[in-house]
Amino acid sequence: MKILLATQKPFAAAAVEGISGILTEAGHEVVKLEKYAAQEDLVAAVGDVDAIIIRSDKVTSEVIAAAPKLKIVVRAGAGFDNVDLAAASERRIVVMNTPGQNSNAVAELALALMIFMARTQFTPATGSEVQGKRLGVQAYGNVGRLVGEKARALGMEVCAFDPFLSDEQIIAGKATPVHSLEELYSASDYLSIHIPALPSTIKSIGYDLISKMPKGACLVNTARKEVIDEDGLAKALRERADLKYVADVAPDNYDALREEFGLRVFATPKKMGAQTSEANINAGLAAARQIVDFFATGNTKFQVNKW
Ligand code: 3PG
């Protein structure tokens, strides 16, 4: 089979080598499209491929239409909001992710961003410490749990809200369960967001929730920019000079926010949560193995679309 590795944001060299090794050893041919400039480049590259490995690359209905032999897309990572699942399902193309494989990298970044904001973006201004502060985790999945674990090691108190988990499961993950978003936001000096971007979550975090946060609180978003209602965020920051926002990947209104709120706001220039060589290797190799297994045995364990 012909497998395309399409990564606008390339994997570390060791990951690319590992992916190629696993696929070629299983008898597949590997082609690469890395650091490509435009979406048309991806459309042009899929004409004769049977499988694609991607990161945040956009597998749109146009990409799928241009790939008549395509059987499987593996998103090397967690979020699959960049894949048109309906278009894939219509063609019976399997879409998978590699859950958990890059979670530690994202969790470490979430903690780093908290400390960066606590220390006023590493300027000489007097900062604060995260020890003794209350961390709220919104969605206690693979990343959320790791954020909780690391925060506890720093002496933070951790509470979590996750409508898909029981109190027992959250307690087993060593966090205090809370039962509504309102309660979570009201209780959290730091609030770390780990929800996926879905129609039900897009723009779901806005003024009403953010303005409930305690004095001096910081909202930390290493999930997706789309889950924030950016007008609501700006309104809350404007009304409350004590609130802060930090994100992995800039909101659309980032320049305006920086101009108006200065060091109370920060966003990474390019999404970098999963950009460690370890995460690249874990997620990339898992993707390659899932493809080998899919073609050899039909295993669809990590399939995320249905038909
Ligand atoms: C994910 O959903 O796995 C993360 O957002 C990582 O995305 P990336 O592969 O584009 O860095």
Side-chain angles (χ1 to χ4, degrees):
M1 300 287 172
K2 189 164 180 175
I3 321 290
L4 173 68
L5 176 63
T7 50
Q8 198 162 39
K9 182 171 58 184
F11 277 135
V16 177
E17 206 177 299
I19 292 166
S20 300
I22 289 169
L23 293 170
T24 49
E25 209 166 288
H28 300 297
E29 182 193 348
V30 181
V31 284
K32 289 180 244 165
L33 177 71
E34 295 174 301
K35 262 192 174 170
Y36 54 96
Q39 183 67 10
E40 297 85 72
D41 300 340
L42 178 57
V43 174
V46 298
D48 61 348
V49 304
D50 301 281
I52 313 177
I53 296 177
I54 51 161
R55 296 186 64 178
S56 289
D57 307 80
K58 291 184 174 47
V59 176
T60 58
S61 55
E62 201 189 356
V63 171
I64 287 169
K69 293 171 71 184
L70 188 61
K71 295 157 193 71
I72 177 168
V73 175
V74 181
R75 195 283 190 237
F80 44 87
D81 46 310
N82 48 324
V83 181
D84 187 331
L85 293 186
S89 299
E90 207 170 293
R91 284 260 315 279
R92 300 284 191 273
I93 293 166
V94 170
V95 180
M96 294 184 187
N97 65 353
T98 64
Q101 298 290 346
N102 58 19
S103 303
N104 189 67
V106 180
E108 286 190 10
L109 184 71
L111 266 300
L113 292 175
M114 283 179 218
I115 293 174
F116 181 62
M117 294 305 277
R119 292 303 182 95
T120 53
Q121 299 193 21
F122 297 165
T123 59
T126 303
S128 59
E129 299 177 21
V130 297
Q131 175 171 262
K133 303 296 187 305
R134 172 82 76 98
L135 168 70
V137 184
Q138 183 176 356
Y140 212 50
N142 289 320
V143 183
R145 276 165 206 258
L146 286 168
V147 170
E149 186 181 304
K150 294 172 199 308
R152 278 193 306 279
L154 289 168
M156 298 181 85
E157 223 184 287
V158 180
C159 58
F161 173 73
D162 192 320
F164 300 100
L165 297 179
S166 65
D167 281 5
E168 290 69 29
Q169 286 170 311
I170 290 176
I171 291 164
K174 297 196 171 69
T176 305
V178 298
H179 302 103
S180 70
L181 280 177
E182 288 69 23
E183 198 187 334
L184 188 77
Y185 276 73
S186 306
S188 302
D189 301 308
Y190 289 85
L191 190 308
S192 197
I193 303 169
H194 301 292
I195 53 175
L198 301 169
S200 57
T201 62
I202 286 172
K203 285 188 190 285
S204 63
I205 300 161
Y207 177 80
D208 287 350
L209 285 175
I210 299 167
S211 59
K212 285 198 165 50
M213 296 180 80
K215 188 166 167 38
C218 180
L219 181 60
V220 184
N221 182 11
T222 54
R224 292 287 183 270
K225 69 174 180 179
E226 289 82 3
V227 302
I228 302 291
D229 167 8
E230 294 182 359
D231 293 340
L233 169 67
K235 186 174 174 209
L237 290 169
R238 194 168 295 126
E239 279 184 13
R240 293 265 310 273
D242 58 302
L243 291 180
K244 297 177 198 156
Y245 180 66
V246 64
D248 184 21
V249 80
D252 291 335
N253 61 352
Y254 186 48
D255 289 346
L257 291 181
R258 277 292 281 198
E259 201 178 310
E260 190 173 353
F261 306 115
L263 292 178
R264 291 166 52 209
V265 177
F266 177 81
T268 54
K270 196 165 192 175
K271 188 162 62 127
M272 56 170 284
Q275 194 61 346
T276 65
S277 49
E278 292 91 338
N280 286 181
I281 290 167
N282 290 340
L285 270 53
R289 289 193 187 103
Q290 286 172 214
I291 287 181
V292 169
D293 207 21
F294 171 76
F295 284 123
T297 70
N299 187 344
T300 54
K301 180 172 173 197
F302 296 107
Q303 183 169 353
V304 296
N305 61 334
K306 289 192 178 72
W307 51 75

